[in-house]
Amino acid sequence: MGLWQTVLGEIELSISRGNFMTWFKNTSLVSHNDEQAVIGVPNIFIKQQLERKYNELIAETLRKNGVEAKEIIYKITSVTKQSEPDDEPVLVSPSSSFATSTATQTSVNRPTASLSHSYRQGINERYTFDNFIVGSGNELAFAACQSIAVNPGTKYNPLFLYGGVGIGKTHLIQAVGNAVVANNPNARVLYVTSEQFVQELVDAIRFKKTADFASYYRTTDVLIVDDVQFIAGKEKMQEEFFHTFNALHQANKQIILTSDKPPKDIPTLEERLRSRFAWGMSIDMQIPDFETRCAIVQTKAQTHNVELPPDVVEYLANNIQTNIRELEGALNQLLAFCEMRALDPDLSIATSVLGISKTRPKHLSAKQIIERTARHFQIPVEDILGPKRDKDIVVPRQIAMYILRSELHLSFPKIARELGRKDHTTAIHSVEKIEQESRVDADIRAAISEIKDRLYA
Ligand code: ADP
Ligand code: MG
């Protein structure tokens, strides 16, 4: 495996998938010596972001892999020029294992040649129509997305999908992006979360690159903005988004948006955006019904080459009723447990590993969660809320954020505020990090479950 690919593999584990895809895709290690490591990047936005936010992480990860350069330089390189064998498989590696069958893999992988294409920003090929299970709750959204993928910009513009956390919104809109590029490798498809949009605009203003920013966004064929509720309340952002929206809509370019609520219920969203969001088609996505959840569990287990007994499938589908991400998490936890011990999953293992049979009342406050987490780790609450970056403070802080998210379903900005933090991207990182680690790290799992048990005791 190439050096840069190894570095990317490690970086991917420490930041959220969305950020990884957005900022690290199409990067390369151009050269390195004791003085300098030169990282090739596809555009100015990525350059700025890497310099601003990820420089330390990159330097540290390079160091761990034997590159002791004093300085890291980011250089805009055209993607096609990259010749290092290192660079190519970057995007394909982590995600391809999710493809469901050989047939799917071929169709998923076909657009690989164009993957290094800089227009395919933010799309993760793990999310396809093929591996999305359709059932009550998501069938309308699925149909609309498929129809858009065939003819972007013609019907349903914008498409606005809304609904609770973990029910497949991101999966579906990413699948549209993948399908559009598969049909037309030259299509410019851009996926961003509204948080990334905001961050990029802030950077563009700061570095006096707003014209670049505008033209970057306004020349896409398909613009996908995930979790658009986070631009509410930010005037300058809404203004810029309004202009982007208009430019694209007038040019019959497809716009796809998601949110946790319908446009009319997003507080402090400007009226002109609210009305535009409702111009096309708004679809309410619901958690799939029991049968569909069973099919999801079964299919996901099969991608890991495991055939689950029906009672285990039903146990999972029955006990996790609100969130497919949690359902997947529980399945992964069970599979990891069994794999490490070479056991075949059965109902009693599932019950003991997941311990989700208790019904839990929900009268928790954010404060209780933070206090309980601090107490569990025997550190003062002020440390969790304060600036310290020691590992024995950072991990409890991340766990507190994770529990705030999983138990109270708070938004990331709200979680950040509860922890006395200004930047909500920290909350996103933390939650995703704990989500990932709890799948593989039994100590973290034990800590979380003990904290929760006490909270609900
Ligand atoms: P949302 O954006 O609504 O919060 P996601 O799209 O991120 O939710 O979905 C959460 C997880 O559940 C993802 O890993 C996704 O692949 C999976 N998922 C959701 N719905 C389905 C489905 N119908 N079939 C297969 N996987 C699904
Ligand atoms: Mg999402």
Side-chain angles (χ1 to χ4, degrees):
M1 204 195 278
L3 169 61
W4 186 238
Q5 209 190 333
T6 311
V7 170
L8 287 178
E10 286 175 29
I11 289 177
E12 190 182 8
L13 291 179
S14 58
I15 64 177
S16 77
R17 183 181 301 120
N19 277 324
F20 179 78
M21 297 303 290
T22 311
W23 307 118
F24 286 89
K25 174 168 85 159
N26 295 330
T27 58
S28 60
L29 183 59
V30 177
S31 65
H32 64 90
N33 53 37
D34 292 349
E35 287 300 316
Q36 287 187 341
V38 180
I39 314 281
V41 296
N43 61 48
I44 178 82
F45 290 111
I46 296 190
K47 178 172 183 311
Q48 285 165 0
Q49 189 72 5
L50 294 183
E51 282 168 349
R52 246 174 54 107
K53 280 200 130 159
Y54 294 108
N55 192 51
E56 208 176 305
L57 175 64
I58 294 170
E60 189 189 319
T61 317
L62 277 170
R63 219 174 296 127
K64 271 201 255 162
N65 286 281
V67 178
E68 299 269 359
K70 292 204 185 80
E71 175 185 34
I72 299 184
I73 309 251
Y74 299 89
K75 210 173 124 199
I76 299 170
T77 50
S78 92
V79 178
T80 42
K81 249 187 359 210
Q82 295 172 353
S83 54
E84 276 202 22
D86 281 16
D87 317 327
E88 253 190 82
V90 167
L91 248 190
V92 195
S93 56
S95 39
S96 49
S97 60
F98 284 92
T100 39
S101 64
T102 330
T104 326
Q105 272 206 348
T106 339
S107 65
V108 171
N109 285 345
R110 203 178 321 112
T112 300
S114 61
L115 272 182
S116 53
H117 207 287
S118 57
Y119 297 148
R120 191 191 169 89
Q121 294 289 340
I123 301 287
N124 182 340
E125 54 166 6
R126 151 184 183 199
Y127 297 115
T128 63
F129 287 129
D130 287 346
N131 62 18
F132 189 85
I133 311 291
V134 187
S136 80
N138 63 29
E139 57 201 348
L140 186 58
F142 182 84
C145 284
Q146 278 208 316
S147 134
I148 283 175
V150 179
N151 273 316
T154 51
K155 279 192 255 180
Y156 314 143
N157 205 11
L159 174 69
F160 192 101
L161 296 185
Y162 64 91
V165 182
I167 57 170
K169 301 183 297 296
T170 298
H171 187 133
L172 269 186
I173 59 178
Q174 287 258 344
V176 176
N178 275 308
V180 168
V181 179
N183 292 337
N184 173 9
N186 292 322
R188 302 162 73 111
V189 176
L190 175 58
Y191 167 96
V192 282
T193 64
S194 69
E195 286 132 317
Q196 282 160 359
F197 181 88
V198 167
Q199 187 61 54
E200 287 181 12
L201 179 56
V202 169
D203 289 350
I205 293 168
R206 193 169 142 218
F207 294 100
K208 308 204 165 33
K209 297 276 181 199
T210 43
D212 288 2
F213 176 89
S215 68
Y216 182 66
Y217 273 93
R218 292 176 202 175
T219 52
T220 53
D221 294 315
V222 179
L223 175 64
I224 306 174
V225 183
D226 208 353
D227 293 321
V228 78
Q229 70 269 17
F230 294 126
I231 65 163
K234 305 192 177 72
E235 261 172 53
K236 179 78 192 153
M237 311 303 154
Q238 299 199 45
E239 158 113 33
E240 182 60 36
F241 193 70
F242 176 77
H243 293 304
T244 305
F245 185 103
N246 286 346
L248 291 174
H249 198 269
Q250 269 159 25
N252 291 324
K253 304 301 187 185
Q254 181 70 46
I255 300 161
I256 304 176
L257 308 164
T258 74
S259 166
D260 58 349
K261 312 176 190 65
K264 68 175 175 39
D265 294 343
I266 304 177
T268 65
L269 182 66
E270 277 184 22
E271 195 44 48
R272 54 184 183 169
L273 277 182
R274 197 188 302 280
S275 68
R276 272 169 178 72
F277 287 176
W279 267 358
M281 169 123 152
S282 300
I283 299 178
D284 177 6
M285 278 182 81
Q286 301 281 346
I287 181 82
D289 62 7
F290 175 71
E291 281 71 28
T292 313
R293 293 201 300 279
C294 287
I296 292 173
V297 173
Q298 198 65 271
T299 315
K300 304 239 169 193
Q302 278 160 7
T303 66
H304 296 273
N305 293 318
V306 176
E307 199 62 52
L308 282 183
D311 56 350
V312 174
V313 173
E314 283 166 20
Y315 173 75
L316 287 167
N318 236 327
N319 279 284
I320 302 175
Q321 304 190 343
T322 56
N323 183 328
I324 303 299
R325 188 177 296 118
E326 267 173 32
L327 189 59
E328 250 186 320
L331 172 68
N332 289 338
Q333 208 174 319
L334 174 65
L335 295 183
F337 182 92
C338 292
E339 195 182 303
M340 274 186 283
R341 292 163 185 78
L343 299 169
D344 285 329
D346 65 23
L347 188 57
S348 75
I349 300 177
T351 330
S352 73
V353 172
L354 303 169
I356 45 185
S357 49
K358 307 166 207 128
T359 46
R360 290 174 155 164
K362 296 223 164 179
H363 315 290
L364 285 181
S365 69
K367 191 157 167 267
Q368 282 171 304
I369 291 178
I370 295 168
E371 282 172 0
R372 175 48 67 187
T373 310
R375 185 152 356 142
H376 177 88
F377 290 100
Q378 303 186 331
I379 54 174
V381 172
E382 301 81 73
D383 279 357
I384 289 207
L385 301 177
K388 286 194 190 154
R389 309 261 327 132
D390 317 37
K391 190 162 185 231
D392 46 346
I393 308 283
V394 170
V395 173
R397 188 182 291 141
Q398 290 174 332
I399 289 182
M401 295 195 201
Y402 171 85
I403 299 179
L404 287 173
R405 181 79 175 174
S406 73
E407 300 308 296
L408 302 185
H409 304 290
L410 299 187
S411 72
F412 291 115
K414 181 104 175 60
I415 292 174
R417 274 199 300 280
E418 291 292 348
L419 272 293
R421 273 145 173 89
K422 292 209 182 76
D423 182 3
H424 68 271
T425 55
T426 323
I428 301 180
H429 288 170
S430 304
V431 171
E432 292 213 5
K433 179 136 184 280
I434 298 300
E435 213 162 67
Q436 282 174 6
E437 285 189 357
S438 64
R439 285 181 199 150
V440 290
D441 184 333
D443 289 343
I444 291 203
R445 263 200 314 275
I448 294 170
S449 103
E450 198 180 317
I451 294 167
K452 283 206 234 168
D453 281 350
R454 300 237 166 184
L455 281 168
Y456 288 104

